[in-house]
Structures are given as C-alpha cells and as structure tokens.
Amino acid sequence: MRRSLLVTAAAAISMVLLALLVPMAILVRSYALEDRLARAALEVQAVETVVSGQDEGIVGQYVDRLNEDGTSQVTVLYPGGPGIGPDPGEDARVLDARNTGRARVDDVDGGSQILVPVSRGGNSALPSQTPVIRVIVEEPGIDSVVGVAWGLLGLLALALLAGSLVVVDRLGRSFVQPIRQLAEHTQTLGRPGAATPMPAVHGPPEVQELAGAVDRLVGRIQLLLSRERENVADLSHRLRTPVTALRLRVEGVADHDLRDRLGGDLDHLQATVDEIVREARRSEREGLDPQTDAVSVLAERVRHWEPLAEDQGRTYEMDLATSGPLVRASRTDLEALVDVLLDNVFSHTPDDAGVRITLTASDDRVDLVVDDAGPGLPEGLDVTGRGASGAGSTGLGLSIAARTAEDAGGEVTTGASDMGGARVAVTLRTA
C-alpha cells in the first residue's frame, strides 16, 4: 500500500510539474530572445549614428567590434556595392526596407532579423541611395543563460518531487504502520498461547476503530469457545452415567440376539458421542495452528497396537520411517487417525488375519498405508463417507481419518491389498 501510494503520488506530482515547468521553460526562452532583440535595437541606434556620419572604413571597424560577442550579426548594406559585415548579400526584404524607408523585424532560420534604413544627409530624398542596417539575432540555446535557467528549473522540479514524496511517504507510513501492527497481532491469534490483549494502536481514527472492533471480536470468540468447551465437557460427563446404566441393563437381557442388537446400538451411540466431543475439541476450533512431527507420533501409535496383535496371534508387520516433516495436524488427531485405521482391522477381520503398516516420508508429505488379510471392503460403497459402513459399524471411523487428512492438505484412498484384504492409504501434507 505504501509503495502504491508513492507511485501514484509520484505520477500525479510529475504531471503537475510538467504542466507548470514546460510553459515556464518556453517563457524563459522567449524572454531571453526579447532581451537580445532589445539589446540589438540599441546596437542598431548606435550603428545608425555611425553610418549616417562616418565613412565606410570607420563603419567597418565599428561593425567588427560589435560582431565579436557572437550574440548578433550586424551588417551594413550599402546600395550598389558589397556590404560591411557577415553575409553582405541583399534579398527582397532588404530592398523593401530601403525603398519604403521603414524598419522591419522578420523571423529567419535560427533567430530574428532587424532591418533599419539609414538616412544620410541630402540623400534622404533618394531611397535607392539609402544604406540598410541588418542585425540578425540568434535564438538563445542551451549554452546561454537559457540553459542555466532550464537547469535551475530542473533542479527545482527534482527538489519539489523529492520533498513531496517524503511528505507522502510520511503520510503513508502513518496509515500503513498501524494497519501492519494490527495485521501482525491478528496473525499471532492462531498460535498457541497468543491470546494476549491487543497493544495500543496509533493512527487515523478509522484504524483505531478497526483495532477496537477486532479486539472485541477476539474476546467474544474466546468467550464462545470457552463456553463451548464447558458444554462439551458437561455433555460427555452427563451421558457417561446413563450410557453405563443402559449397558448394565442390556447385559441382563436374557435374549441373546436382542442383547447383541441393543449392545450394537449402544456402541453406535457411544461412538457418535465420542465423535461429537472429539470434533468440538479439535485444535483448529480453538484458534490454534498445529504443527506436529507426524512420523514420530504415527510410529509411536502403531507400536502401541503391537501387543494386541501378539495376544491375538496376528501377524503384525511394520515398516516405519524414522523422521519426516511437520504436518498441519495435532498430536491427538494423528493418534486418533491410527486408532481408527487399526481398530477397523482388529474389529472387522479374523484374529489370524495379518496386518502390514508402512510409514514413509519425504520433504513435503507423509504416507501411512495399512494392509490387511481380511475380507476386504464392500464394493461400490464410499467407506470414507460419514455414516457409510458395510459391516454393521457406525461408519464414523474412516470419515474421521478422511477429515483429518483433508485438514492436513492430504487425502485418504481405499482399495484392495496384495495381502487379499483391504488397503487404506493416508497422505498428509507438510505444515
């Protein structure tokens, strides 16, 4: 914003300066030319006095002295003979001035020309015998006082432009600095432990009002999140007792089939409540931006399930990377991800069905693949969709894994394994 303001101000100021200084430069040149013409008129009067009362030799010496400065060229053109001075030739304008007896000023290449006929005593009645003084005044160039004036105008323009940009920059800084301070504070709100009050913001009233509004909004969000966490904790605590009581009553049902159905319904209810609590406590919902060493967390959790596989006599193969990048997921979510995938294997495959876990990592991603030798996944069903299940489960497990992967910029894919069962591959992107 500050740079854009400077560029816009520089363009506007430059146009204004051009609109003012170009006419001034033209006027300076015109005034310089008029000054030369005025001095040339004085020279003409002096030459006219000399020509009217002296012979041609004295006139020649005088004309030579006048032409030494180079600002004008003085020539005396006598009728019927060569003139005295540079370029002694005559043209129609010289003849007109001699015949009419009137002085004239004409524009010529490179300047102006002054023609003045001179009366010489008794010859005044004979126009054809009248000498004519011709003064050619050159237009002032860069090497004259015009160049100095133009240089001063250029320096003045640069000084005005620089001074204006300094003022604009200071003004822009007074706008940008408070906004940048506000932006830096808002960026820290997503980091753990950054729930600090906003420092005082100085600047325009509008920016101060915005800072106050942001501060109030942050406070309101923190209050709502605090109340939400309290309500979730109360919900989990309140449901624990009645669910436990229902489970005890179900265990007392004599009908085996009815007891299994009711137990399954309670498991479904318990899984749904756990999912609600887990989602409400997700780190992103609490204003955090998690960055976790996924390889260490996933590997640790995979090894956590190994004793259960040994108890069941199940083949449990592990090929785990030792290091990897940070991913955008919390430790709790990654542990829940492994638990979901392995719980599906242990719950829906025979005890003797083997399982293989492969964990690989690169600079920008982490891949976790779980293969099993079970019956596989049902065909034509999106098992990663919420509530989708083909084995009587809640259908929430793989949807949790898919949501965790999506939040980390990755995905979950399913298919058939070379072990004869199902394959679930999870990709997590870097933070």
Side-chain angles (χ1 to χ4, degrees):
M1 178 180 176
R2 189 173 173 183
R3 182 179 300 176
S4 301
L5 184 61
L6 283 175
V7 171
T8 302
I13 295 171
S14 298
M15 289 187 290
V16 172
L17 290 176
L18 286 175
L20 292 176
L21 296 180
V22 170
M24 290 180 65
I26 296 175
L27 286 176
V28 166
R29 187 173 184 179
S30 299
Y31 290 154
L33 179 59
E34 291 180 1
D35 180 67
R36 287 191 175 186
L37 290 175
R39 285 188 287 140
L42 296 177
E43 292 178 355
V44 167
Q45 294 178 2
V47 174
E48 185 177 7
T49 303
V50 175
V51 171
S52 62
Q54 303 294 335
D55 58 20
E56 295 182 5
I58 297 176
V59 171
Q61 295 176 3
Y62 185 75
V63 169
D64 291 340
R65 288 198 304 269
L66 291 177
N67 291 331
E68 289 177 356
D69 61 359
T71 59
S72 62
Q73 297 179 0
V74 180
T75 305
V76 179
L77 302 172
Y78 289 97
I84 298 174
D87 193 15
E90 298 183 0
D91 55 15
R93 286 175 288 194
V94 175
L95 295 177
D96 179 72
R98 177 180 290 128
N99 294 330
T100 59
R102 293 194 300 268
R104 57 183 294 172
V105 180
D106 300 296
D107 292 331
V108 296
D109 294 339
S112 300
Q113 174 180 265
I114 301 175
L115 297 175
V116 178
V118 181
S119 300
R120 300 183 67 188
N123 293 331
S124 58
L126 299 174
S128 59
Q129 301 298 320
T130 302
V132 176
I133 301 173
R134 181 178 64 197
V135 180
I136 296 178
V137 181
E138 297 180 355
E139 290 185 355
I142 300 297
D143 56 346
S144 64
V145 68
V146 173
V148 176
W150 286 359
L152 293 176
L153 288 177
L155 292 177
L156 177 62
L158 293 177
L160 290 175
L161 179 60
S164 301
L165 291 181
V166 169
V167 174
V168 171
D169 181 66
R170 299 294 296 180
L171 180 62
R173 185 178 180 181
S174 66
F175 287 108
V176 174
Q177 199 68 21
I179 297 177
R180 182 175 298 170
Q181 182 182 1
L182 178 60
E184 291 175 352
H185 176 74
T186 55
Q187 289 174 358
T188 62
L189 295 178
R191 301 173 187 171
T196 57
M198 180 178 297
V201 176
H202 303 284
E206 294 80 3
V207 177
Q208 296 182 12
E209 292 178 4
L210 176 61
V214 171
D215 203 18
R216 291 191 297 272
L217 178 61
V218 171
R220 181 62 177 170
I221 292 176
Q222 290 176 347
L223 176 61
L224 293 177
L225 289 174
S226 177
R227 291 179 178 177
E228 180 183 4
R229 287 192 292 268
E230 293 175 358
N231 292 333
V232 169
D234 292 344
L235 175 64
S236 177
H237 179 73
R238 291 175 182 178
L239 289 178
R240 186 180 305 157
T241 300
V243 168
T244 302
L246 284 175
R247 193 175 298 279
L248 292 175
R249 292 184 181 182
V250 168
E251 291 178 356
V253 174
D255 190 336
H256 179 74
D257 293 337
L258 177 60
R259 184 170 64 250
D260 290 343
R261 288 197 303 271
L262 292 176
D265 292 339
L266 280 176
D267 291 340
H268 190 178
L269 174 62
Q270 185 65 51
T272 302
V273 173
D274 292 342
E275 168 65 6
I276 293 173
V277 174
R278 185 181 297 111
E279 281 299 304
R281 292 178 175 176
R282 288 180 65 86
S283 299
E284 293 83 358
R285 294 287 303 279
E286 297 180 4
L288 303 179
D289 185 15
Q291 296 184 3
T292 307
D293 184 358
V295 170
S296 63
V297 175
L298 295 176
E300 178 184 350
R301 202 62 181 177
V302 168
R303 296 189 185 96
H304 176 78
W305 285 78
E306 187 177 9
L308 179 59
E310 294 177 354
D311 292 341
Q312 294 180 350
R314 184 190 301 268
T315 302
Y316 197 77
E317 301 178 16
M318 296 180 293
D319 183 9
L320 308 177
T322 58
S323 62
L326 301 178
V327 300
R328 297 195 305 268
S330 66
R331 181 183 184 90
T332 303
D333 288 340
L334 294 178
E335 291 176 346
L337 171 66
V338 176
D339 291 344
V340 163
L341 298 182
L342 295 182
D343 180 69
N344 281 344
V345 174
F346 282 85
S347 300
H348 303 294
T349 62
D351 291 347
D352 58 351
V355 58
R356 182 177 67 226
I357 301 98
T358 305
L359 178 62
T360 60
S362 61
D363 292 337
D364 61 347
R365 60 186 291 174
V366 175
D367 293 287
L368 176 66
V369 181
V370 178
D371 294 283
D372 64 66
L377 298 173
E379 297 182 0
L381 181 64
D382 181 16
V383 293
T384 60
R386 184 177 180 86
S389 175
S393 65
T394 63
L396 295 174
L398 288 180
S399 69
I400 296 174
R403 188 159 49 254
T404 301
E406 291 174 358
D407 291 341
E411 59 182 351
V412 173
T413 57
T414 59
S417 171
D418 55 1
M419 298 178 65
R423 163 175 284 196
V424 180
V426 180
T427 300
L428 305 173
R429 301 292 180 182
T430 57

